[in-house]
Amino acid sequence: MKKRILLLSVLIFATILTILVEASPNEEWRLVNRITSNTWSITKVVSSPSGNFIAAIYQENGINKLAIYNSSLKPVKQVTLENTFSGDAYFLSDGLLILAKNLYGTIPHTEIAIYNPQIDKTILKVDLPGTTINEIRKALVTGNYLLLLTQKYIFWIDIKAATYTAVPDTPINQGLQMVETSRGIVFLTIETFCHICLSLNEKVIRIYQWTPFTYQSFEYYHVLAIVNLDPYLGVLFDNGTIGIYEINTGLNRTSAIHNLAVNYSAVSLPDYKFLYSTSTGTPTKLTIFDVPHDTLYEVMVPVTNTKGDSLATYVYDDGLYLVANKNQNQIALGNFTSRDPPYLLNTTTSTIVGISRGRDTLVVYDYRTIELYKKTAREVQNYELTLEVADETGASIANFTVEINGTKYTSKTNTITLTLKEGTYKIIISKPGYQQYIFTTKLTSNETRRIILQKTRYTLRVHASSNAGQPEIYILDGTRALCRGIGYAEAKVLPGNYTVLAMLLNNTYQAPVKVRNDTEVYIILNIEERPIFPPNLHGNTQNQTAINENNTIVIVYGSDTCAECRALKNQLKLLGINFTFKDISNKTYLQEYQTLYDMLPTKTIYQIPFTLLFRGKHLQAIIIGLPSSQSLKEILNEMNVNSTWLYLGDQKQEVTLDSSVFYTLATRGISLLNTTGNALPQPPKNNTGTTTPTPTPQDVYHVLPVIATLALADSINPCTFMVFSALVLAVASFSGTRKAIYTSASFIGAVYLSYLLLGIGLIRFVAMFTQLRYVLALLVLIAGIYEITNTTQLHKMKGLAQTLKLPKTFSNIQAKLNTLQATLLTRAQKGSIILSFLAGTLVSFTLLPCSSGPYLVAALMVSKLPFNITLVCLLIYNMIFVLPLILISAAIILGGKLLATMDMASIKINQLRKYTSLLLGLALIILALWIILSP
């Protein structure tokens, strides 16, 4: 037990030391030689695996040339590539340079040559008619064959017979990977040109038994890359899963690695042993996964990365990694297996075009220049670090402590000089009464720093409250105000004496505060203000209207849950005003409030508190919201009984209203208003001057069939069908039936809830602004025209109709939403319920233009009905809308005859789509005209 505790302590100490001490690399990369020419246009530079030879292909005066250099970048051979318009080179070893020359001719063809720079001899030439090779992605020799993996071809070149075989028989889309294992040679290719298949990451794995004539091929979807696990093969899928397959008579899946923490995007070179991914941030992070050993490596790469920079990352099977910022001419390189910190190399080229490596060499080139770097042992030197310390006023500070990577030093003066080895150090400077100063420096020369220590500051917090609102607070240092707040103020202060002020309604509280550490002060003001009117001994109730001196009546509509309503009540109490408060949680008072509000000439959204001020039976003022105490006094002191004023925020407006109606309704209620002979406010009128009739049950029965028909037409949406089917199929394939059920339910629930909330919001909006129905009718009319112009039937009518297109701004927004939607759908294929819900929500809005017309009509039709009936109509509409998705989900999950039936139904629906679109467009135009002309 003691040994375990000791071992754990050592591990913790080593971890902390690793975090605190950033070690300098033991090796460095130094520039050995540099070649540049203003007449060059370099296309490719490659190094042999050992670094003993370097080959460069470039153009000079319009002629392609090949140059061979030794390990010091000294010329060995130069060849003019006659009749060549482009070429590429690839080193297999010091003695095998593969050269591809694309030659001019009636039929383009490529000549493959094998050249041995050690003996200056061309070993083999093979002509490949009808081909053009822009890049040799990989080459290897097995038996008598030279294998070349290019973008569009895989070549088996018989070295002895000087013949070749291209596989497969037709050009492929992309040749991606090639690796030799103990069970055969494995290729990963993209052979499809179908955009749908490409979006599903369809790839082909080919396994050849060391000849071009004996092979097996396997087609997979959702594949990103293969990993060499000889005699097994790892297949990386786009849902973050690695399938492990044994290479035998076929590919037999033996196990899998699920839920990878990182979305890996590339494999190491040359034989694909590691997966890696680079996350661009500050700093850039390189993550590498060793699959057979289940080991994760993370490297923080010190390259700068600003917007628009081009980053290139290379990871090799021996552990070397390179991360290059081509725009900033920076290369960070190191070995992740040794866990040494990366070395940052700054090249002197212009924008980096390419990088090639040897065993201990690195070749960097642009279009005019080639630079050769070599790895050498790093010589560590000693340097002096001098620190001068002062306070905020510039006065020197002595007797401070310096801690450097855990070692402490004390200076009796204001200056200290230390001799340290070249490296990176974390330095902490401290002194009692001052804040610590912490910084990190990379010492590569003598360095002097002037350090300013700030005195320790403490937090002074002041809280103030009162029975009349929140007081204004000031924290003062002498006569200088440090900060101000309402109800709360906070300041960082030096130790010392300060003054706190709290003020409200001409009442001021002042107190000294001594600060020696973090301090908190609480102030409560009890304000007693002289009332404008003497208080009524009987008080005020909601059943009896309170009357003040001068026959003043104040009635407030509000809610006890409203902070501004409570503040207004406190203001009136302090001013000695008797008032009647009507809480609108009571349905009767709510009806009064809405009726009074609707009678105002200024149409705004409903707000509380809503205050009425009467002088006798004359309505003198209407106050919307919470006025300031001073404004409220001025309103109450105003004695003009010939006008009515509306106060909304800082705005004051004279209005013409029937005071008798307001007085009767506010003081006696709606139930007594009809008995007084005063006219109730009329229902809102439409453009024709007629009143809008109240819906009847018969209206509901007539609306429901129309609602169901619109929902059924709206539900036939091939866009949604395709997206949803792909999602459920992928989840069912990767994660099983149970996950597919949960994922589809989450997606459907999101679509249902999103459309339901959209409908409720739309109906409330229409009810609030009655004139909006004409705007929505215009939108429905446009939607109908859109449906008609997008049918194939009208496209045949001599081009009379053109497809409607969105403006550029909306198209850009739609493109961004489509990208986000595709990302969510791809990640949701892993079976995530939350991501499926988010994807369903986004799909609801991105596909809204396809189905907005019927929904707008339905919303307008039910907007006149009572809310409970409206809600039922919306529930029914959206249930019909998502019904096809439920059927699709059941068909995919259950399969069998149901799936076949759904496929046939889908085919028939798509065949009839142009006719249904035409009918739907005509129906929408008719309904739009009905909305405009109906009362």
Side-chain angles (χ1 to χ4, degrees):
M1 185 66 180
K2 291 183 178 180
K3 289 183 178 180
R4 290 183 180 179
I5 294 174
L6 179 61
L7 179 60
L8 182 61
S9 302
V10 171
L11 289 174
I12 293 174
F13 177 78
T15 303
I16 296 173
L17 190 62
T18 302
I19 295 173
L20 294 178
V21 181
E22 182 186 339
S24 297
N26 298 320
E27 299 169 326
E28 63 182 354
W29 294 78
R30 295 189 180 276
L31 180 64
V32 175
N33 203 350
R34 185 174 188 266
I35 299 177
T36 186
S37 173
N38 290 331
T39 62
W40 284 359
S41 177
I42 299 173
T43 58
K44 188 67 171 289
V45 180
V46 291
S47 171
S48 66
S50 66
N52 291 332
F53 291 98
I54 298 166
I57 296 178
Y58 60 93
Q59 274 194 354
E60 189 172 35
N61 299 323
I63 300 173
N64 286 292
K65 297 181 179 181
L66 168 68
I68 308 293
Y69 302 93
N70 63 14
S71 60
S72 298
L73 209 58
K74 300 297 183 182
V76 173
K77 186 179 181 67
Q78 182 174 345
V79 179
T80 299
L81 305 178
E82 301 289 349
N83 197 33
T84 302
F85 63 86
S86 66
D88 195 20
Y90 188 97
F91 265 113
L92 273 173
S93 64
D94 288 347
L96 289 177
L97 171 64
I98 315 298
L99 181 63
K101 298 188 294 180
N102 297 313
L103 304 176
Y104 291 107
T106 305
I107 300 177
H109 61 287
T110 300
E111 181 185 87
I112 300 294
I114 303 179
Y115 172 73
N116 187 338
Q118 292 176 320
I119 58 175
D120 189 19
K121 180 180 179 180
T122 299
I123 301 172
L124 175 71
K125 285 186 178 181
V126 177
D127 191 58
L128 308 176
T131 62
T132 299
I133 298 178
N134 296 320
E135 178 188 9
I136 301 175
R137 296 189 168 179
K138 190 174 180 181
L140 61 87
V141 174
T142 177
N144 294 328
Y145 288 102
L146 167 66
L147 275 71
L148 298 182
L149 176 69
T150 70
Q151 179 179 352
K152 296 186 179 299
Y153 304 95
I154 300 172
F155 293 106
W156 291 70
I157 299 176
D158 191 325
I159 299 174
K160 290 185 177 181
T163 59
Y164 75 95
T165 302
V167 294
D169 297 333
T170 57
I172 59 179
N173 191 323
Q174 291 282 330
L176 300 178
Q177 292 178 257
M178 174 177 69
V179 63
E180 183 174 14
T181 71
S182 60
R183 304 287 177 87
I185 301 170
V186 182
F187 295 87
L188 180 68
T189 60
I190 301 174
E191 300 186 9
T192 181
F193 291 87
C194 167
H195 72 281
I196 296 178
C197 300
L198 291 172
S199 68
L200 295 174
N201 286 322
E202 177 191 321
K203 293 183 177 62
V204 176
I205 298 175
R206 294 176 170 270
I207 304 175
Y208 289 80
Q209 299 302 317
W210 292 281
T211 74
F213 311 109
T214 307
Y215 70 94
Q216 303 174 80
S217 65
F218 307 91
E219 185 177 287
Y220 288 91
Y221 287 90
H222 303 287
V223 173
L224 295 180
I226 58 174
V227 186
N228 185 6
L229 306 174
D230 192 17
Y232 296 90
L233 185 69
V235 180
L236 175 64
F237 293 96
D238 57 15
N239 69 336
T241 300
I242 301 177
I244 310 298
Y245 296 82
E246 183 178 8
I247 306 173
N248 208 327
T249 55
L251 281 179
N252 303 317
R253 181 162 174 164
T254 60
S255 61
I257 302 173
H258 298 281
N259 300 322
L260 297 178
V262 179
N263 292 325
Y264 297 100
S265 57
V267 287
S268 60
L269 300 174
D271 291 328
Y272 322 126
K273 293 183 178 180
F274 305 106
L275 292 169
Y276 68 89
S277 177
T278 306
S279 61
T280 55
T282 306
T284 301
K285 183 171 75 172
L286 174 64
T287 306
I288 303 152
F289 183 44
D290 184 347
V291 180
H293 300 97
D294 194 20
T295 304
L296 189 70
Y297 300 89
E298 290 186 347
V299 181
M300 297 301 175
V301 184
V303 294
T304 58
N305 182 24
T306 57
K307 186 176 181 180
D309 284 349
S310 174
L311 285 185
T313 304
Y314 309 89
V315 176
Y316 299 91
D317 295 337
D318 60 359
L320 181 73
Y321 62 86
L322 307 171
V323 180
N325 187 326
K326 294 184 177 182
N327 303 91
Q328 302 291 337
N329 301 103
Q330 290 183 333
I331 303 174
L333 65 168
N335 194 302
F336 64 86
T337 59
S338 66
R339 297 189 183 274
D340 287 338
Y343 184 86
L344 186 61
L345 179 66
N346 291 287
T347 70
T348 59
T349 61
S350 60
T351 300
I352 297 173
V353 172
I355 301 171
S356 181
R357 64 156 296 204
R359 184 171 49 245
D360 292 317
T361 61
L362 190 68
V363 179
V364 184
Y365 62 95
D366 59 22
Y367 293 110
R368 298 281 187 269
T369 304
I370 303 174
E371 293 184 348
L372 175 64
Y373 295 85
K374 283 191 176 181
K375 184 170 63 174
T376 60
R378 192 168 183 276
E379 182 180 349
V380 180
Q381 299 183 5
N382 293 331
Y383 298 104
E384 288 186 349
L385 175 64
T386 301
L387 303 173
E388 299 177 1
V389 181
D391 63 14
E392 297 160 287
T393 65
S396 298
I397 296 178
N399 300 317
F400 59 87
T401 301
V402 179
E403 182 179 335
I404 302 179
N405 287 353
T407 303
K408 292 185 178 181
Y409 306 88
T410 302
S411 174
K412 296 187 180 297
T413 65
N414 71 316
T415 303
I416 187 171
T417 300
L418 301 169
T419 301
L420 303 171
K421 292 183 178 181
E422 179 181 357
T424 302
Y425 297 92
K426 180 180 180 181
I427 300 173
I428 304 173
I429 301 174
S430 57
K431 181 180 174 64
Y434 293 85
Q435 299 178 33
Q436 282 187 341
Y437 188 90
I438 303 174
F439 68 97
T440 300
T441 183
K442 186 174 182 180
L443 199 62
T444 56
S445 62
N446 293 333
E447 183 177 335
T448 299
R449 286 203 180 210
R450 181 174 173 82
I451 308 299
I452 303 298
L453 292 183
Q454 295 185 347
K455 290 184 178 180
T456 303
R457 285 171 167 76
Y458 299 105
T459 302
L460 173 58
R461 299 183 179 89
V462 180
H463 306 261
S465 61
S466 76
N467 57 344
Q470 294 183 324
E472 188 175 15
I473 303 171
Y474 289 90
I475 299 177
L476 305 176
D477 181 8
T479 58
R480 182 170 63 94
L482 300 179
C483 72
R484 171 188 175 275
I486 303 297
Y488 175 79
E490 177 181 314
K492 291 282 188 180
V493 298
L494 296 170
N497 297 321
Y498 299 88
T499 302
V500 174
L501 288 179
M503 299 182 293
L504 181 66
L505 300 175
N506 298 325
N507 291 271
T508 302
Y509 173 83
Q510 178 175 323
V513 178
K514 183 180 290 186
V515 177
R516 294 291 179 268
N517 47 36
D518 288 345
T519 304
E520 208 151 355
V521 177
Y522 292 87
I523 300 171
I524 300 176
L525 295 180
N526 186 16
I527 298 175
E528 295 183 2
E529 187 168 349
R530 181 178 178 182
I532 296 178
F533 306 112
N536 188 330
L537 298 179
H538 297 289
N540 60 302
T541 67
Q542 293 189 2
N543 297 322
Q544 181 179 356
T545 304
I547 302 176
N548 298 278
E549 191 177 82
N550 298 326
N551 204 19
T552 300
I553 300 174
V554 178
I555 300 175
V556 180
Y557 290 89
S559 172
D560 283 330
T561 61
C562 165
E564 290 190 344
C565 299
R566 295 195 300 270
L568 179 60
K569 289 164 66 176
N570 288 333
Q571 286 182 358
L572 292 170
K573 288 177 182 178
L574 288 171
L575 295 173
I577 301 297
N578 292 311
F579 61 92
T580 299
F581 183 81
K582 296 192 175 186
D583 195 321
I584 59 174
S585 60
N586 181 305
K587 291 184 179 180
T588 301
Y589 297 141
L590 176 61
Q591 188 177 6
E592 290 180 14
Y593 161 71
Q594 290 176 333
T595 304
L596 291 167
Y597 213 107
D598 291 340
M599 295 166 63
L600 299 180
T602 303
K603 300 300 181 183
T604 64
I605 60 173
Y606 293 110
Q607 298 182 50
I608 54 174
F610 179 72
T611 307
L612 304 177
L613 173 62
F614 294 94
R615 301 291 191 192
K617 293 185 179 182
H618 173 69
L619 178 62
Q620 179 172 310
I622 301 172
I623 307 169
I624 300 176
L626 176 66
S628 65
S629 297
Q630 185 61 36
S631 297
L632 184 59
K633 288 181 185 178
E634 294 174 358
I635 295 170
L636 291 169
N637 287 326
E638 178 66 45
M639 296 301 294
N640 188 346
V641 295
N642 296 320
S643 303
T644 300
W645 294 92
L646 174 64
Y647 297 86
L648 177 59
D650 296 331
Q651 299 178 354
K652 177 182 177 182
Q653 176 185 354
E654 186 175 1
V655 294
T656 301
L657 296 170
D658 190 340
S659 295
S660 61
V661 174
F662 272 78
Y663 179 82
T664 304
L665 182 56
T667 59
R668 305 186 65 183
I670 287 181
S671 60
L672 296 178
L673 186 61
N674 287 325
T675 64
T676 63
N678 295 303
L680 273 170
Q682 295 299 312
K685 296 185 178 182
N686 55 28
N687 286 355
T688 62
T690 60
T691 58
T692 303
T694 303
T696 65
Q698 287 74 16
D699 295 329
V700 179
Y701 299 139
H702 287 97
V703 164
L704 274 178
V706 180
I707 295 297
T709 304
L710 289 171
L712 187 61
D714 198 3
S715 67
I716 303 173
N717 194 325
C719 306
T720 310
F721 294 172
M722 184 172 65
V723 171
F724 181 66
S725 300
L727 173 64
V728 179
L729 279 171
V731 176
S733 300
F734 289 132
S735 305
T737 302
R738 184 182 295 272
K739 276 284 188 180
I741 293 172
Y742 294 154
T743 303
S744 57
S746 177
F747 185 95
I748 294 171
V751 174
Y752 185 89
L753 185 60
S754 299
Y755 266 75
L756 179 63
L757 293 177
L758 182 64
I760 293 174
L762 184 62
I763 288 169
R764 288 299 182 99
F765 200 58
V766 171
M768 190 177 300
F769 301 100
T770 55
Q771 301 301 319
L772 190 65
R773 65 196 295 260
Y774 300 104
V775 177
L776 296 181
L778 179 61
L779 294 177
V780 173
L781 184 63
I782 293 172
I785 297 172
Y786 179 86
E787 289 289 344
I788 293 176
T789 56
N790 277 282
T791 59
T792 56
Q793 188 67 24
L794 286 185
H795 275 298
K796 297 178 182 179
M797 295 174 63
K798 300 181 180 181
L800 292 178
Q802 300 293 329
T803 302
L804 297 178
K805 294 183 179 180
L806 291 172
K808 185 176 180 181
T809 303
F810 294 104
S811 297
N812 294 337
I813 296 173
Q814 186 179 23
K816 292 180 180 178
L817 289 175
N818 288 338
T819 302
L820 177 59
Q821 173 186 307
T823 302
L824 285 175
L825 286 170
T826 300
R827 295 184 177 179
Q829 290 174 2
K830 300 179 182 179
S832 171
I833 296 175
I834 296 176
L835 290 179
S836 300
F837 188 87
L838 293 176
T841 303
L842 190 57
V843 164
S844 301
F845 289 98
T846 55
L847 298 181
L848 187 61
C850 299
S851 59
S852 59
Y855 205 29
L856 285 174
V857 174
L860 283 169
M861 293 182 71
V862 301
S863 64
K864 301 176 183 180
L865 302 176
F867 181 73
N868 56 344
I869 299 177
T870 298
L871 184 60
V872 171
C873 290
L874 288 179
L875 292 172
I876 294 172
Y877 184 100
N878 286 286
M879 180 55 68
I880 297 174
F881 180 77
V882 300
L883 185 60
L885 300 183
I886 297 173
L887 295 177
I888 290 172
S889 176
I892 293 174
I893 294 170
L894 298 178
K897 293 183 178 180
L898 182 57
L899 180 58
T901 303
M902 288 299 299
D903 285 341
M904 291 300 299
S906 178
I907 293 171
K908 290 180 179 180
I909 289 172
N910 282 327
Q911 290 175 346
L912 297 174
R913 181 65 184 173
K914 57 185 178 181
Y915 302 111
T916 57
S917 295
L918 179 61
L919 293 175
L920 179 59
L922 292 173
L924 290 176
I925 292 174
I926 293 170
L927 288 171
L929 296 175
W930 174 78
I931 292 169
I932 295 172
L933 300 176
S934 64

